[in-house]
Amino acid sequence: LTKMQPSGRHYVVVRPLFSEDSFAEQHERINRTRKTLRHHLKDYFTCDTNRAKNAARSLLPIIGWIKNYNIKEWLLGDIVSGISTGLVAVLQGLAFSLLASLPPGYGLYTAFFPAIIYFFLGTSRHLSVGAFPILSLMVGAVVTRLVPDGGPPANITGFEGLSMEQQRVLVASSVTFVMGAFQLIMGMLQVGFIVMYLSETLVSGFTTAAAVHILVSQLRFVLGLDFPGVNGPLAIVYTLENVFSDITNTNVADLVTSIVIMALVLIVKEINDRFKSKLPVPIPIEVIVVGIITEYDISYAFNFEKRFNVVVVGEMVDGAVEAFPMAIVGFAVAFSVAKVYSVKHDYTIDGNQELLAFGVSNMFGASFRSFAASTALSRTAIQESTGGKTQIAGVLSAMMVLIVIVAVGFLLEPLPRSVLGALVIVNLKGMLMQFRELPFLWKNDRTDFVTWVVTFVASLFLGLDLGLAVGLGAELFTVVCRTQFPRCSLLANITGTDIYRDRKDYNSVSADLNFPSSRTVLFNQGASANFQVAVSLFLFSRCLEVRQPSTDTSEDNNSMEGLDQPIDFSGIPIQVNWNTELPANISVPPVNIHSLVLDFSAVSFLDISALKGLKATLKEFLRIEVDVYIVSCDVYIMEKLHQCSFFDDEIKTSIFYPTLHDAMLHILENHSERQYNCVRNRRL
């Protein structure tokens, strides 16, 4: 009989002491029939009206929210947000094209075509789709490697008869298409969970290193220097070398223009941050600056291009291996940003659908000469803070970009590239400020600190693609280290409870030092296939010591050949009797352990190797008269143990207990007389 009696903040439970066998006798478990792979495939490919409707809603999320669109409350906000975001998207598209080593106009395509597709396929209501500086830089690395500034391009079919600009656009579009294909395939395979392996610490170190790369890459535009772009490992070192070697040729007009613009934009952005609660919309300082320069033809008036040799935007256009890390980075950043706003506004996003949306968006955009698209945090923040409620704001911002492409793009032709470089650098503030996380990580989590630093340094000097791989390797290495070097502690029972804690941390532990829990050792671990590193071990009272049979080394050379051979246990008794004499070559003093408890609460699965190792270990303990118990084992692992013929005459189901306390009470009951005799002998 089991009774639970609540009494204020106390509870009293009266129930029998259960083993897994006795629990199964009193509580019959329902046998559920599980579907086989054939049944799952049959259900997956079976189509009816409801499945077709659900599939349509899943693949086209717009069907779900457009019918609930509140025109009176949302439309005005979406219009204001779309116009504001569109103006910023135009400038960022132009600026981020420089990072991709492409003519500025192609960034407008990236701000238009992917956004249109995402409007229909995306699940985030606030994400602003378009150029992202880190992806643009990764695209630029591929572009400059295959079509370098100085030297012949790579021998690629289709390059014949094309100018360098056309070759670069072809490379950028091809990489973007492959990137989108990777994202589409991952979405179809339902692997949106992959973003979980990119921790916030890793992403922070990676994006900070990318921000430094971007900053250095823009120095040649800000200073007005002319030297070929560099890519690959140590590219940042070679770029800085070129900058300092050519710094005497700095274009003063470019430098002064950039400094003035950066100072002005930073000041106004600080005002936006401090008074965002009082401002109806953030001051679009980038748009104002560019508008002043282009509207009043300052570049023409001062004749920057001819008098000061300033490089301007110029004529506006009318119309792999590296791809995989780009696909991962683009999705990870977009999903992280989308998740922030979905939590803030209480709606859900689907990671797998986001992969499909970005995959199709990038493949579609690449067909129209755009490069890799994701999102930019600053642009998404503007779309949300200016009143955007749905992706109608996103499609309106794309319409603003379209107007620039087909109608007013010529107004941006006299815009100096140094202005775009300055705007890129200013927008790096948020990512560069991530350096402030280091003191916190050092103080609170040294492992995350190491991951951050390793990812940052590797990405900085080896390049973003290799740096991301090194960062992932470092993160996995820290997980392995934490698994292989666990924290160990002696557990004790808190008096009057069924709770067990580190005996060093509490005074209210069991007063009887011979109570089994006083000699408990706990290995804190996560789930693992290897029970030896996944379970908690509880050792009670009695250590095994095997002494070398002889100190004679005359036969060392002959014995060396057998070191790699399997150990022969035939000379060792099947079961040790502590009251009899052992063979002369083995010295085994009475082991001060009588019971061992394995806590399987953290074990989520066991493979065949783990099962064999567990069985062999249990038998070794049983042969030296150490009782072994397993507690908190998942029912599905129990099923697998039965399926794999784990149990035999020595290892029985009776060693399994539902809770640690059940096993503890059983051990105490069975060994109470032995504990009493031990105490009496010590007192004598």
Side-chain angles (χ1 to χ4, degrees):
L1 177 63
T2 302
K3 295 195 304 180
M4 179 176 290
Q5 298 177 351
S7 177
R9 294 185 61 83
H10 299 78
Y11 69 88
V12 178
V13 178
V14 181
R15 67 167 177 83
L17 190 157
F18 282 124
S19 67
E20 288 287 356
D21 287 345
S22 61
F23 183 84
E25 290 175 0
Q26 295 191 26
H27 303 277
E28 184 178 359
R29 184 164 171 255
I30 300 174
N31 292 323
R32 292 181 294 170
T33 303
R34 294 197 183 96
K35 291 183 178 181
T36 63
L37 178 61
R38 182 173 62 85
H39 287 96
H40 282 293
L41 291 175
K42 181 179 179 181
D43 292 342
Y44 185 80
F45 289 105
T46 299
C47 185
D48 54 31
T49 304
N50 290 331
R51 285 182 62 88
K53 290 181 179 179
N54 292 333
R57 292 192 187 102
S58 176
L59 293 175
L60 294 171
I62 186 176
I63 297 175
W65 61 263
I66 197 68
K67 62 182 180 181
N68 299 320
Y69 189 81
N70 192 325
I71 297 178
K72 292 183 179 180
E73 296 184 8
W74 295 353
L75 184 58
L76 180 60
D78 280 340
I79 292 175
V80 174
S81 175
I83 295 174
S84 303
T85 308
L87 294 174
V88 175
V90 169
L91 299 180
Q92 290 189 349
L94 295 174
F96 296 160
S97 293
L98 301 182
L99 300 176
S101 300
L102 298 174
Y106 287 96
L108 300 180
Y109 293 157
T110 306
F112 174 70
F113 291 106
I116 295 297
I117 298 300
Y118 188 85
F119 172 74
F120 295 99
L121 301 180
T123 59
S124 174
R125 302 176 189 173
H126 297 89
L127 210 63
S128 176
V129 177
F132 177 54
I134 295 177
L135 281 184
S136 301
L137 188 66
M138 297 177 77
V139 171
V142 181
V143 168
T144 54
R145 178 171 62 84
L146 297 179
V147 188
D149 289 321
N155 186 16
I156 298 177
T157 304
F159 270 10
E160 296 82 1
L162 299 180
S163 64
M164 186 178 75
E165 175 185 313
Q166 293 172 327
Q167 291 174 348
R168 289 192 164 188
V169 172
L170 178 61
V171 170
S173 300
S174 301
V175 171
T176 301
F177 189 90
V178 176
M179 166 189 164
F182 276 128
Q183 291 175 327
L184 180 61
I185 292 172
M186 288 190 293
M188 295 175 65
L189 295 177
Q190 304 287 294
V191 293
F193 65 87
I194 196 172
V195 73
M196 295 171 57
Y197 292 96
L198 299 177
S199 67
E200 291 185 10
T201 304
L202 184 146
V203 172
S204 175
F206 176 79
T207 53
T208 305
V212 176
H213 272 286
I214 295 169
L215 174 63
V216 172
S217 70
Q218 295 306 292
L219 289 179
R220 63 170 176 165
F221 298 109
V222 170
L223 299 176
L225 302 178
D226 184 19
F227 56 82
V230 185
N231 67 87
L234 300 180
I236 191 170
V237 176
Y238 297 133
T239 301
L240 288 174
E241 180 183 5
N242 290 334
V243 169
F244 288 112
S245 298
D246 204 26
I247 199 167
T248 54
N249 298 323
T250 298
N251 189 305
V252 178
D254 275 326
L255 179 60
V256 171
T257 302
S258 300
I259 292 175
V260 171
I261 290 176
M262 285 190 288
L264 181 61
V265 172
L266 284 174
I267 291 172
V268 176
K269 281 183 174 289
E270 188 66 24
I271 294 174
N272 285 338
D273 290 338
R274 292 197 177 188
F275 300 99
K276 59 183 177 182
S277 60
K278 298 180 179 180
L279 293 172
V281 295
I283 302 173
I285 183 60
E286 296 99 331
V287 178
I288 294 174
V289 168
V290 173
I292 292 174
I293 294 177
T294 57
E295 182 70 19
Y296 295 100
D297 291 335
I298 290 180
S299 291
Y300 282 138
F302 288 96
N303 200 10
F304 279 177
E305 184 175 10
K306 295 182 179 179
R307 292 180 58 187
F308 301 108
N309 197 28
V310 170
V311 180
V312 299
V313 168
E315 182 179 356
M316 300 293 289
V317 294
D318 298 327
V321 175
E322 294 87 348
F324 184 73
M326 288 167 56
I328 299 297
V329 172
F331 169 67
V333 172
F335 184 79
S336 300
V337 175
K339 190 174 181 180
V340 170
Y341 290 103
S342 69
V343 172
K344 181 178 179 180
H345 294 276
D346 193 24
Y347 63 90
T348 59
I349 56 174
D350 184 348
N352 295 312
Q353 181 62 26
E354 288 295 293
L355 274 172
L356 290 172
F358 277 104
V360 176
S361 297
N362 279 303
M363 293 175 70
F364 180 77
S367 303
F368 292 91
R369 297 186 293 180
S370 73
F371 55 88
S374 178
T375 188
L377 181 58
S378 59
R379 197 169 60 244
T380 300
I382 291 174
Q383 180 165 316
E384 189 266 346
S385 63
T386 53
K389 301 295 183 182
T390 67
Q391 276 300 325
I392 287 181
V395 79
L396 288 176
S397 70
M399 293 299 105
M400 293 290 296
V401 176
L402 180 62
I403 293 173
V404 174
I405 293 175
V406 300
V408 298
F410 67 93
L411 296 177
L412 299 174
E413 293 181 1
L415 186 66
R417 291 196 177 188
S418 58
V419 173
L420 299 180
L423 294 178
V424 170
I425 292 175
V426 169
N427 280 283
L428 296 176
K429 177 185 174 183
M431 288 190 286
L432 292 174
M433 294 299 285
Q434 292 177 135
F435 278 111
R436 295 185 300 181
E437 297 177 7
L438 288 177
F440 176 82
L441 293 176
W442 175 258
K443 182 179 179 180
N444 295 281
D445 195 327
R446 300 286 176 87
T447 304
D448 278 350
F449 176 86
V450 171
T451 301
W452 197 101
V453 172
V454 169
T455 305
F456 173 80
V457 173
S459 301
L460 191 65
F461 292 105
L462 299 180
L464 297 180
D465 47 357
L466 293 177
L468 180 62
V470 172
L472 281 171
E475 190 170 50
L476 293 176
F477 179 74
T478 60
V479 172
V480 172
C481 288
R482 286 174 173 175
T483 303
Q484 296 300 320
F485 302 100
R487 173 183 176 271
C488 303
S489 59
L490 290 172
L491 296 188
N493 174 255
I494 304 298
T495 305
T497 73
D498 60 352
I499 299 172
Y500 297 83
R501 292 289 187 268
D502 191 332
R503 60 182 300 181
K504 296 180 181 179
D505 296 337
Y506 296 88
N507 293 322
S508 57
V509 297
S510 177
D512 183 4
L513 293 179
N514 294 288
F515 187 75
S517 62
S518 65
R519 300 301 303 274
T520 302
V521 180
L522 168 62
F523 292 84
N524 295 307
Q525 291 294 332
S528 171
N530 188 340
F531 81 96
Q532 292 176 326
V533 297
V535 299
S536 301
L537 302 180
F538 299 85
L539 309 177
F540 306 94
S541 4
R542 299 185 308 198
C543 55
L544 179 62
E545 179 185 27
V546 179
R547 196 169 58 211
Q548 293 294 332
S550 172
T551 58
D552 185 9
T553 60
S554 59
E555 297 182 0
D556 282 353
N557 294 333
N558 294 332
S559 62
M560 289 294 289
E561 297 179 358
L563 289 179
D564 294 332
Q565 301 301 319
I567 299 175
D568 184 10
F569 291 102
S570 59
I572 300 178
I574 294 177
Q575 186 168 4
V576 176
N577 185 346
W578 301 107
N579 297 318
T580 61
E581 293 185 2
L582 297 174
N585 64 332
I586 297 180
S587 174
V588 187
V591 177
N592 194 28
I593 297 173
H594 62 69
S595 300
L596 165 69
V597 177
L598 306 179
D599 185 353
F600 268 40
S601 59
V603 179
S604 59
F605 70 96
L606 286 171
D607 56 22
I608 299 300
S609 298
L611 286 174
K612 291 181 179 179
L614 174 60
K615 190 170 185 176
T617 302
L618 294 186
K619 289 192 174 184
E620 289 177 9
F621 277 104
L622 292 174
R623 288 171 183 173
I624 58 173
E625 289 188 340
V626 175
D627 297 330
V628 182
Y629 304 92
I630 297 178
V631 301
S632 303
C633 182
D634 187 87
V635 292
Y636 297 107
I637 293 181
M638 282 290 292
E639 289 181 1
K640 186 168 186 177
L641 294 177
H642 282 286
Q643 292 171 2
C644 297
S645 302
F646 180 80
F647 301 103
D648 54 26
D649 293 338
E650 292 183 85
I651 303 176
K652 302 178 181 180
T653 57
S654 59
I655 69 174
F656 285 79
Y657 282 79
T659 69
L660 172 59
H661 199 58
D662 283 305
M664 292 292 195
L665 294 177
H666 172 76
I667 293 169
L668 180 61
E669 181 181 359
N670 284 359
H671 294 271
S672 58
E673 183 178 353
R674 182 181 301 179
Q675 295 292 331
Y676 172 76
N677 293 334
C678 181
V679 173
R680 186 179 63 179
N681 292 335
R682 288 183 180 178
R683 289 176 179 174
L684 294 176

